[in-house]
Amino acid sequence: MIQIRKKENCCGCNACVQVCPVSCIRLYEDQEGFWYPKADEGSCINCGLCERVCPCLNIKPARNVKFTFAAKTNNEALRKQSSSGGLFSELAEWIIRQNGVVFGARFSKDWIIVHDYTDKIEELDSFRGSKYVQSQIGNSYKQAQTFLKQGRWVLFVGTSCQIAGLNLFLKKKYDRLIAVDVVCHGVPSPKVWNRYLEDLTGDQINKITDIQFRNKRTGWKKYSFVCKWNDVEYQEVFAENLYMKGFFRDLYLRPSCYKCPSKMFAANSDLTLADYWGIQYLNPELDDDLGTGLVFVHTEKSLSILNDLNINKTQISFEPLIKYNPSIRYATVKVLGFKRWLFFFGLNKDLSAIWLLKVFTKRLNLMRRIRRLFIKRT
């Protein structure tokens, strides 16, 4: 029976909930806005399946990559719509043309991030673009398994821990599964995201018409956060945006992200995707600041598909990339516990998320933060 004694030992992949044969595991939301499984001891039949599919209990070894490519789509319009080089879109279109199904993260009508699927090219737009919030995986593993058993191609894209959970859930290799993980800095709290949107829009989340975490109008390396609602278009370069600043300063990542179980390709994916940060130093001849991706190839079938895509790719060396892409190899350094507690304490006391982010992303010492927090409360 799954028991979460330390929150850092649960990545929220939901595999345990989906595999339970008697549906005795439910998710509950903690004070930080993350979801954790809890089993009903009275209904549990002690089959042990939940423990066997947990990526945090079944950590796989790191792998060496077979091939590393810098790559981008040859479709410039598609590249403009993408966060990086448009590789997801090219892969997804190939899968759908084989009568396959694509799983990925999209916004719900309430601007929550959820995992969903489509088998229509015209619906891929909602799955494009990076989304810096933990997605609700739902029953995606079960749905993917159903399609695979029907003999259909499935492209499943997620964070490394989500792909690790998928592979453990499936228990076997499927010839027509292409599992793709994305190099991940960590997943922020959905609660912080929701509160930020409430403050930003003045409680008009239902009026939002578009959100882009990685708009390229200011360039790929200096991308912008964009949110549109009513007649307002809010745009801010990521380094100045408060939500992104809190994310990059590791203030509200899921506790498991500080000891990620799936670094260095341990998720057993077919492909790993990332941005080619550092391209201006390592391959300046490839850099046009419009977006270039990294593709790490782990299986022969994925290499075969990659060779069939409408992309421009250049094989490059792996080791030099780590300097500019440390999240490939290293988990995020854990933020000071009391600082994190203080931030969520203020959030749960209904202080403004934007005000808290202003305080906690400034270079202030801890005592000044405490004074500001209590002055605000009084």
Side-chain angles (χ1 to χ4, degrees), residues 128-176:
R128 292 189 185 99
S130 300
K131 301 170 181 71
Y132 296 109
V133 192
Q134 182 165 34
S135 67
Q136 295 182 6
I137 204 82
N139 288 318
S140 294
Y141 297 169
K142 278 185 174 181
Q143 293 166 334
Q145 186 180 56
T146 298
F147 289 125
L148 289 166
K149 287 181 175 179
Q150 292 171 356
R152 298 182 71 177
W153 280 93
V154 169
L155 173 68
F156 199 108
V157 182
T159 60
S160 297
C161 59
Q162 288 174 335
I163 298 303
L166 170 68
N167 283 322
L168 287 165
F169 174 88
L170 293 175
K171 304 184 191 70
K172 58 175 280 189
K173 295 289 185 182
Y174 286 88
D175 291 339
R176 294 195 171 188

Side-chain angles (χ1 to χ4, degrees), residues 60-277:
K60 303 299 182 182
R63 292 188 296 169
N64 293 321
V65 65
K66 290 181 181 293
F67 301 98
T68 302
F69 297 101
K72 60 185 179 182
T73 176
N74 290 317
N75 183 333
E76 289 303 308
L78 195 59
R79 194 172 169 215
K80 278 186 178 180
Q81 298 171 37
S82 306
S83 292
S84 191
L87 302 176
F88 160 77
S89 296
E90 291 290 355
L91 273 169
E93 290 190 15
W94 188 94
I95 291 288
I96 291 174
R97 287 196 295 270
Q98 317 309 312
N99 190 35
V101 185
V102 174
F103 286 79
R106 66 165 180 81
F107 289 110
S108 72
K109 63 178 181 179
D110 301 317
W111 300 98
I112 296 166
I113 314 300
V114 297
H115 249 74
D116 201 355
Y117 69 87
T118 185
D119 58 4
K120 297 177 176 60
I121 288 177
E122 58 269 24
E123 293 180 357
L124 285 177
D125 187 55
S126 61
F127 293 88
R128 292 189 185 99
S130 300
K131 301 170 181 71
Y132 296 109
V133 192
Q134 182 165 34
S135 67
Q136 295 182 6
I137 204 82
N139 288 318
S140 294
Y141 297 169
K142 278 185 174 181
Q143 293 166 334
Q145 186 180 56
T146 298
F147 289 125
L148 289 166
K149 287 181 175 179
Q150 292 171 356
R152 298 182 71 177
W153 280 93
V154 169
L155 173 68
F156 199 108
V157 182
T159 60
S160 297
C161 59
Q162 288 174 335
I163 298 303
L166 170 68
N167 283 322
L168 287 165
F169 174 88
L170 293 175
K171 304 184 191 70
K172 58 175 280 189
K173 295 289 185 182
Y174 286 88
D175 291 339
R176 294 195 171 188
L177 170 67
I178 301 296
V180 177
D181 62 331
V182 293
V183 171
C184 177
H185 176 81
V187 289
S189 160
K191 183 175 190 174
V192 175
W193 168 242
N194 183 260
R195 291 284 298 278
Y196 171 74
L197 282 186
E198 287 178 350
D199 285 358
L200 182 67
T201 63
D203 289 327
Q204 296 189 72
I205 292 178
N206 62 329
K207 302 294 184 182
I208 294 175
T209 56
D210 188 32
I211 293 175
Q212 300 170 49
F213 282 98
R214 298 273 299 277
N215 185 286
K216 294 180 182 176
R217 68 182 65 170
T218 48
W220 168 58
K221 299 187 199 72
K222 199 177 179 181
Y223 57 84
S224 292
F225 173 86
V226 173
C227 183
K228 299 177 184 178
W229 70 98
N230 292 335
D231 295 323
V232 178
E233 180 174 325
Y234 176 87
Q235 176 187 334
E236 203 165 29
V237 173
F238 78 94
E240 299 170 5
N241 177 260
L242 287 170
Y243 178 81
M244 295 300 289
K245 285 168 73 173
F247 165 57
F248 282 117
R249 292 184 186 175
D250 312 322
L251 186 57
Y252 35 77
L253 303 183
R254 190 178 182 96
S256 60
C257 296
Y258 304 116
K259 53 174 294 187
C260 176
S262 304
K263 291 296 178 186
M264 275 302 290
F265 316 123
N268 284 323
S269 61
D270 296 287
L271 294 171
T272 300
L273 300 182
D275 288 274
Y276 191 175
W277 303 130

Side-chain angles (χ1 to χ4, degrees), residues 293-358:
L294 290 172
V295 189
F296 304 98
V297 179
H298 309 302
T299 59
E300 291 298 330
K301 67 177 176 181
S302 62
L303 179 62
S304 176
I305 294 171
L306 207 62
N307 288 333
D308 200 30
L309 301 183
N310 179 32
I311 63 174
N312 185 313
K313 67 182 189 299
T314 304
Q315 189 168 355
I316 57 175
S317 299
F318 171 72
E319 281 300 330
L321 301 171
I322 300 299
K323 177 180 178 181
Y324 305 100
N325 300 270
S327 294
I328 295 171
R329 179 171 286 167
Y330 306 109
T332 301
V333 177
K334 190 172 184 178
V335 74
L336 182 64
F338 188 57
K339 176 183 173 182
R340 179 192 179 90
W341 177 87
L342 199 60
F343 172 82
F344 279 105
F345 174 81
L347 195 72
N348 288 314
K349 292 296 181 182
D350 291 326
L351 295 182
S352 161
I354 286 181
W355 182 86
L356 286 165
L357 286 167
K358 285 179 181 177

